[in-house]
């Protein structure tokens, strides 16, 4: 356990083992066990009545949007229930009856709490009132809202430049809150708006913007019904987007094929027993994957290049494989792409990707014959040094096949947090958008800054170097989510003030700046009322559809404020109530915020009305095949390089992934049911041949060590679990392994940390 000098805090928490039980990995997802586990979580946290009350409103038209992932709801949500096991866990976690109040903080110092596991910390309950940690103190104490706002205002005013402030956002915030936050940060005078998406789909945003002119996906939910082929690459939907399995099921029932590309054979992609259907409970369910390509970690470009190369050969031989009309009309760079793939040798690509050629040929045959192709991906592609190229290679394939702008085809980056896409659409970004700045200037009468801001990795660096001194977070758990935990902890502790607007206690609260504030906020399932009238807000799902969400549960405490109100309070205090914007009135009136959003943001006109009912889609140029924003007015083929991993005999590539029982840094439980691991998180999945080579047995205990730029980083005490994973690859859970990710190693262009391909050695205990 590492500690800090200033306060005796454990940065990483305990590394003790919790009593593992292993079973065979599951061969299907959902079914009866999912319903059972979901209800257990719900009843334990919320009690029976509140559980049924909450679940009957979740993802329903007049209810609240699931606080889990960003997968869209169907046009007509099922009245029986439109949610999955992990959606239930998400709501149970938010609507828990347990409370973290002033008595809790009086009893436990942050030094003591920091020795608790993330699981224990998260299970403590909901935050109920604003708390402050004074200089050198180790106990949070209550503070009034007004004094908290004044304290923030004082610290912000003391900065020698607005660029010494860092304003983080996590993807659970509503559009209204995020818009107001972005507006305040710009009015304050900086673009330092790191976002959780910097660690997530930033590589997708960069790749899609450069090639197709929009940083979002192009498919809608109904495209899955019509798709002939769905490729799921670097994504584990059974755990992270469970209702996507229903979409894949429909695709299969309509004759479509599913190809999965993943170093692991994830249960959710093998077979699905839909718990919403009687047959899903009673029968053996629907087989999902037709061909699984067990690619080595971060060799997707090698694999895709080989697939494309084989398709080029087929197209030359017999024709009809590529959509030449589409290529001619809508793309640039075809000849260069064909020339590029021609330079590679099949055998070399084959060795690199580690997939059997016969399987690749099956996929090539499928792709050759079909043209309605969807490619879905998530963190398995984005969190590598060449994350952007991984996605560009997928776009290459879709462009060759003309699989864009038509029903049943397109790009599908599957988003993480339920409103991460919306937050970006309404202005959370460290980049400067001239268009947005002009619209803000016109609508609000102040000039936003035009200097690029800091993204997540650079914000950490700036805080570490004491160039940034105040850190404010609208949601999230920055310390545990970011790379290089110990370095990030030093960065946060260097700050004069750290502020977290949160629903639940997490480790970031326990690794504070000199002064720290916790500002508790309403969860999205809770009734948000003003003067006796309930308010709704809007969110955007993974497919660009904006709709309303209205909480109805009794708030965890009478002393919570909504996110917009908190932002309004901070802004009002900072500007001494003398700004061109009346922050207080604006922050309390969501209808007014939406009116302003409609004036500033493209596609949001008439937001108040349009967001009602099932909502509306934002404009998407790929759906219209309009590439006029790109050079030459056409979509772009890309030349992608192969990743360069030369591992020594004792080195591995480690991917840090999610277990079935967590939402990012929130640990729901200690089981990873689909992978057969129970009651333990400190595990490392390893190929049996590697175990033999390194003289390891099942459940041997090892340390993981990464060495970058001459610095060793260690994660201690992991149990070896023999698993069907390619040789020289390892998998382990985050956030426990984040300590291994060097803060200064990230994807080219997108700056997403390399959390899926960390070079590590192992140390036997
Ligand atoms: N229940 C639950 N739901 C969630 C989350 C959660 O933590 N829990 N998190 C949310 C968030 S913020 C996000 S971003 C998404 C994340 O959703 P995912 O991206 O599905 O999450 P990960 O667990 O990171 O899984 C990545 C998958 O990629 C594979 N993979 C890793 N490296 C490679 C590679 O090099 N190539 C290929 N082809 N595959 C690879 C892994 O084996 C794993 O199956 O889920 C969201 N939904
Ligand atoms: N090694 C490694 N690191 C990773 C990843 C990985 O795959 N591997 N994945 C990365 C990804 S994809 C992401 S998105 C980031 C996630 O990074 P974050 O978004 O920062 O982390 P979360 O764990 O989602 O944040 C959870 C906290 O959010 C707060 N919260 C929950 N709901 C609300 C709400 O409605 N409002 C407010 N204000 N607060 C709320 C709660 O206090 C809770 O403790 O982590 C990244 N880190
Ligand atoms: S798929 Fe995602 S959004 Fe839908 S219920 Fe499950 S966790 Fe919630
Ligand atoms: Mo994410």
């Amino acid at each position: 356990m590492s500690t800090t000098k200033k306060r005796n805090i454990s940065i990483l928490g305990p590394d003790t083992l919790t009593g593992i039980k292993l079973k065979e990995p599951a061969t299907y997802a959902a079914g009866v066990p999912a319903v059972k586990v979901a209800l257990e979580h719900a009843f334990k946290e919320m009690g029976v009545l509140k559980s049924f009350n909450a679940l009957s409103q979740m993802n329903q038209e007049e209810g609240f949007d699931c606080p889990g992932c960003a997968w869209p709801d169907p046009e007509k949500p099922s009245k029986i229930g439109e949610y999955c096991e992990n959606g239930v866990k998400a709501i149970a976690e938010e609507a828990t009856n347990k409370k973290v109040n002033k008595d809790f903080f009086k009893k436990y110092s942050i030094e003591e709490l920091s020795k608790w596991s993330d699981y224990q910390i998260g299970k403590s309950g909901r935050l109920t009132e604003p708390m402050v940690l004074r200089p050198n103190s180790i106990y949070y104490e209550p503070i009034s809202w007004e004094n908290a706002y004044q304290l923030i205002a004082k610290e912000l005013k003391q900065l020698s430049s607005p660029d010494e402030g860092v304003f983080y956002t996590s993807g659970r915030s509503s559009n209204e809150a995020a818009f107001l936050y972005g507006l305040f940060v710009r009015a304050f005078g900086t673009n330092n708006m790191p976002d959780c998406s910097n660690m997530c789909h930033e590589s997708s945003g960069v790749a899609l913007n450069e090639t197709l002119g929009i940083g979002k996906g192009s498919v809608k939910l109904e495209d899955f019904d019509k798709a002939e082929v769905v490729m799921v690459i670097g994504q584990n939907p059974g755990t992270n987007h469970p209702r996507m399995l229903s979409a894949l099921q429909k695709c299969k029932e309509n004759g479509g094929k599913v190809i999965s590309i993943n170093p692991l054979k994830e249960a959710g992609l093998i077979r699905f027993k839909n718990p919403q259907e009687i047959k899903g409970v009673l029968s053996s369910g629907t087989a999902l994957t037709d061909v699984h390509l067990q690619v080595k970690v971060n060799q997707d470009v090698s694999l895709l290049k080989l697939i494309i190369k084989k398709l080029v050969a087929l197209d030359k031989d017999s024709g009809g494989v590529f959509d030449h009309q589409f290529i001619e009309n809508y793309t640039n760079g075809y000849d260069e792409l064909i020339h590029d793939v021609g330079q590679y040798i099949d055998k070399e690509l084959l060795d690199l990707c580690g997939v059997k050629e016969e399987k690749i040929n099956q996929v090539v045959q499928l792709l050759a014959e079909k043209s309605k192709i969807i490619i879905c991906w998530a963190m398995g592609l984005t969190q590598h040094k060449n994350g952007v190229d991984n996605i560009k290679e997928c776009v290459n394939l879709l462009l060759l096949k003309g699989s864009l702008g038509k029903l049943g085809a397109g790009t599908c980056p599957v988003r993480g947090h339920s409103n991460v896409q919306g937050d970006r659409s309404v202005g959370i970004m460290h980049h400067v958008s001239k268009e947005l700045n002009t619209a803000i200037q016109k609508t609000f009468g102040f000039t936003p800054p035009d200097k690029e801001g800091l993204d997540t990795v650079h914000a950490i660096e700036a805080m570490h170097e004491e160039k940034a001194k105040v850190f404010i977070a609208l949601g999230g758990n920055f310390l545990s989510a970011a790379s290089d935990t110990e370095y990030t902890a030093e960065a946060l502790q260097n700050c004069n003030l750290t502020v977290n607007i949160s629903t639940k206690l997490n480790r970031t609260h326990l690794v504070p700046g000199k002064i720290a504030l916790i500002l508790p906020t309403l969860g999205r399932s809770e009734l948000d009322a003003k003067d006796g009238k309930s308010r709704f807000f809007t969110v955007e799902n993974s497919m660009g559809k904006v709709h309303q969400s209205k909480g109805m549960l009794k708030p965890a405490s009478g002393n919570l404020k909504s996110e917009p109100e908190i932002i309004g309070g901070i802004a009002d205090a900072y500007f001494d109530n003398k700004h061109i914007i009346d922050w207080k009135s604006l922050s309390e009136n969501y209808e007014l915020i939406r009116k302003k959003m409609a004036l500033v943001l493209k596609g949001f006109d008439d937001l108040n009305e349009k967001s009602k009912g099932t909502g509306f889609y934002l404009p998407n140029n790929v759906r219209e095949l309009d590439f006029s924003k790109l050079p030459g007015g056409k979509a772009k083929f890309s030349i992608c390089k192969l990743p360069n991993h030369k591992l020594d005999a004792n080195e591995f590539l480690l991917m840090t992934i999610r277990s079935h029982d967590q939402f990012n840094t929130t640990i729901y439980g200690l089981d990873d049911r689909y992978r057969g691991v129970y009651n333990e998180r400190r595990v490392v999945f390893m190929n049996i041949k590697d175990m033999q080579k390194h003289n390891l047995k099942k459940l041997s205990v090892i340390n993981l060590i990464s060495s970058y730029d001459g610095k060793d980083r260690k994660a201690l005490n992991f149990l070896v679990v023999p698993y069907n994973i390619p040789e020289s690859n390892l998998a382990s859970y985050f956030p426990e392994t984040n300590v291994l990710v060097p803060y200064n190693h990230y994807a080219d262009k997108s700056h997403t940390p390399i959390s899926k391909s960390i070079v590590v050695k192992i140390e036997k205990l």
Side-chain angles (χ1 to χ4, degrees), residues 463-537:
M463 291 189 282
H464 202 270
E465 290 172 8
E466 300 184 29
K467 288 181 184 156
K469 295 175 180 160
V470 171
F471 171 84
I472 300 183
L474 182 59
N477 180 3
F478 193 79
L479 174 81
S480 304
S483 42
D484 223 336
T485 319
E486 294 187 302
Y487 182 87
T488 300
E490 286 165 7
L492 286 169
Q493 291 175 107
N494 280 346
C495 288
N496 294 337
L497 173 71
T498 50
V499 181
N500 282 282
I501 302 169
S502 317
T503 50
K504 303 218 33 196
L505 188 68
N506 63 48
R507 199 165 284 283
T508 306
H509 304 129
L510 309 176
V511 183
K514 293 177 187 86
I515 308 174
L517 282 166
I518 300 176
L519 304 181
T521 190
L522 290 169
R524 66 166 53 163
S525 56
E526 289 170 324
L527 181 69
D528 181 355
K530 176 81 191 156
D531 302 329
K533 268 183 78 180
S534 64
R535 299 178 282 198
F536 73 88
F537 55 76

Side-chain angles (χ1 to χ4, degrees), residues 92-383:
E93 204 72 22
E94 175 175 300
T96 177
N97 293 329
K98 291 184 220 130
K99 305 279 190 304
V100 171
N101 52 21
K102 60 172 179 275
D103 297 336
F104 176 95
F105 284 114
K106 205 167 173 185
K107 188 163 170 199
Y108 303 111
S109 71
I110 56 163
E111 290 182 353
E112 188 168 350
L113 289 171
S114 72
K115 296 187 185 89
W116 292 15
S117 69
D118 289 340
Y119 178 52
Q120 261 178 303
I121 292 171
K123 290 289 175 200
S124 307
R126 281 288 297 278
L127 296 158
T128 57
E129 58 200 300
M131 302 297 296
V132 63
L133 187 77
R134 310 250 177 221
N136 301 317
S137 172
I138 53 168
Y139 284 92
Y140 273 101
E141 308 155 32
I143 183 172
S144 70
W145 281 102
E146 196 44 46
N147 287 348
Y149 298 150
Q150 290 302 336
L151 201 161
I152 298 170
K154 182 172 149 241
E155 291 293 334
L156 287 177
K157 284 178 193 172
Q158 276 174 8
L159 297 177
S160 46
S161 144
D163 290 331
E164 289 183 353
V166 165
F167 299 84
Y168 177 67
T169 312
S170 166
R172 277 243 177 116
S173 294
S174 63
N175 287 336
E176 287 75 359
F179 176 76
L180 203 67
Y181 190 54
L183 195 67
F184 166 63
V185 176
R186 290 182 176 90
F188 170 69
T190 183
N191 284 308
N192 287 349
M193 278 180 269
D195 181 52
C196 70
S197 57
N198 298 150
M199 302 180 261
C200 183
H201 265 296
E202 192 76 33
S203 304
S204 309
V206 171
L208 293 172
N209 255 318
E210 286 186 12
T211 54
L212 301 174
I214 183 170
K216 305 179 182 186
S218 72
V219 299
K220 295 181 178 176
L221 196 51
E222 53 262 37
D223 284 312
F224 283 79
D225 303 354
K226 302 281 185 267
E228 293 169 316
V229 177
V230 178
M231 218 173 195
V232 183
I233 171 164
Q235 191 210 345
N236 178 21
T239 285
N240 298 312
H241 310 92
R243 282 187 313 156
M244 177 174 157
L245 301 190
S246 312
L248 293 177
Q249 180 193 5
K250 259 195 168 166
C251 167
K252 290 296 306 249
E253 285 168 359
N254 293 342
K257 303 281 180 194
V258 174
I259 298 166
S260 58
I261 302 183
N262 198 311
L264 305 181
K265 204 167 181 180
E266 303 284 23
L269 285 166
I270 301 174
R271 184 171 280 279
F272 176 46
K273 297 192 189 184
N274 190 341
Q276 281 176 321
E277 297 170 351
I278 299 288
K279 72 170 194 260
V281 178
L282 299 179
S283 78
S284 61
T286 310
L288 293 182
T289 293
D290 294 278
V291 194
H292 173 227
L293 304 182
Q294 191 165 25
V295 67
K296 281 186 176 251
V297 168
N298 197 212
Q299 289 300 342
D300 300 272
V301 169
S302 322
L303 172 63
L304 290 167
K305 268 196 198 298
L306 184 54
I307 291 174
I308 291 175
K309 190 160 184 264
K310 284 173 179 271
L311 287 170
V312 171
L314 270 184
D315 192 56
K316 267 204 190 121
D317 283 355
S318 44
V321 172
F322 294 156
D323 186 339
H324 288 283
Q325 194 70 54
F326 181 94
I327 294 169
E328 176 67 29
N329 291 348
Y330 296 111
T331 71
N332 266 329
Y334 172 74
D335 293 339
E336 291 85 338
L337 179 83
I338 301 302
H339 177 255
D340 175 65
V341 289
Q343 295 180 319
Y344 292 92
I345 296 160
D346 285 19
K347 173 77 175 65
E348 283 176 10
L349 295 173
L350 205 55
D351 287 348
L352 281 172
C353 71
V355 182
K356 288 202 181 84
E357 188 161 24
E358 147 209 342
K359 293 252 178 180
I360 296 178
N361 289 341
Q362 281 175 31
V363 167
V364 168
Q365 203 51 47
L366 261 177
L367 294 172
E369 289 163 5
K370 314 287 184 195
S371 66
K372 290 183 192 160
I373 301 164
I374 294 176
I375 303 187
C376 305
W377 71 88
M379 297 305 100
L381 290 196
T382 63
Q383 297 174 331

Side-chain angles (χ1 to χ4, degrees), residues 58-59 66 68-71 73 82-84 86-87 240-244:
M58 190 149 94
N59 293 333
C66 169
C69 77
W71 189 255
D73 305 323
E82 196 54 65
Y83 46 79
C84 69
N86 281 345
N240 298 312
H241 310 92
R243 282 187 313 156
M244 177 174 157

Side-chain angles (χ1 to χ4, degrees), residues 538-573:
T538 61
V539 290
E540 177 185 340
N541 67 32
S542 193
M543 293 176 187
K545 196 174 199 199
V546 177
H547 62 92
Q548 73 172 53
S549 171
K550 195 176 193 174
M552 34 57 78
L553 296 179
K554 184 168 174 255
S557 134
N559 202 8
L560 301 181
K561 290 203 183 291
S562 74
E563 291 180 340
E565 283 170 347
I566 297 172
I567 297 156
I570 297 172
D572 200 46

Side-chain angles (χ1 to χ4, degrees), residues 482-489 711 713 738-744:
S483 42
D484 223 336
T485 319
E486 294 187 302
Y487 182 87
T488 300
K711 184 173 176 199
R713 294 171 173 83
N738 261 343
V739 65
L740 298 167
V741 189
Y743 73 93
N744 54 347

